[in-house]
Amino acid sequence: MRVVIAEDSVLLREGLSRLLAEAGHDVVAAAGQAEDFLREVGRHQPDVVVVDVRMPPTFTDEGLRAALVVRGRWPDVGVLVLSQYVEERYATELLSERAYGVGYLLKDRVADLSEFLGALDRVAAGGSALDPEVVARLLARSRHPLAALTAREREVLALMAEGRTNAAIAAALVVGEGAVEKHINSIFAKLGLAPADRDHRRVLAVLRYLGAG
């Protein structure tokens, strides 16, 4: 998998590059400035990018803005954003167009190598990967679209939003995959997501859950 990194901290940038290389990925470029990052993405057309939210010169949202440019200009490139803290507005903005091929993780998750690499793989493959803390924060302020869902269905939808498969959801909840499928179908029905919908119903359900769609 070909990766471009945007991270202003030299230490973290080098650490991520080494970590990904050791996992068998090809880090084709690593930049410390948003403009340099976008040039490298245009030059290499990677499978996925890893972007820090806050980058020079103001250290506010330059990285997020660059991630949004990638989402719009190169829609086939997966985007995994890293943040020091939960930024609800940034997460919602990142997901507002579409909730696939995108991830939002807290930087602490990088320390869990398997979790971080799994999230990167899901994003590169067109899935989603949302930090559980981000999901919990967004859920707290957007419960109204979910009033019809049972507590268990909300649990299932939260795990869907993290990018987990039916098998992973079943393992997390200690139930069978058949039960998970039943809950998901009920969620689709309650949110009015018919099988004929052109967009992927799983993605649409996550958007409803996050209040971004």
Side-chain angles (χ1 to χ4, degrees), residues 114-168:
S114 62
E115 184 173 347
F116 173 66
L117 292 175
L120 191 72
D121 287 342
R122 289 199 302 274
V123 170
S128 62
L130 300 181
D131 195 285
E133 287 190 37
V134 176
V135 170
R137 191 75 65 85
L138 292 173
L139 174 60
R141 69 168 178 80
S142 61
R143 288 187 182 277
H144 58 282
L146 312 176
L149 302 186
T150 66
R152 177 61 85 179
E153 287 166 353
R154 286 196 294 271
E155 285 182 302
V156 170
L157 190 49
L159 293 168
M160 287 168 62
E162 291 174 22
R164 302 204 194 192
T165 63
N166 286 10

Side-chain angles (χ1 to χ4, degrees), residues 34-87:
E35 290 184 4
D36 294 338
F37 161 68
L38 290 174
R39 278 195 293 271
E40 296 295 351
V41 175
R43 179 179 304 143
H44 296 286
Q45 301 283 305
D47 300 300
V48 65
V49 297
V50 179
V51 190
D52 185 9
V53 165
R54 300 176 184 275
M55 296 189 71
T58 69
F59 294 96
T60 54
D61 63 355
E62 282 87 351
L64 176 78
R65 295 287 148 217
L68 292 172
V69 169
V70 173
R71 296 275 281 161
R73 193 176 296 172
W74 299 286
D76 292 333
V77 176
V79 174
L80 180 60
V81 168
L82 300 180
S83 180
Q84 191 69 41
Y85 309 103
V86 176
E87 304 271 9

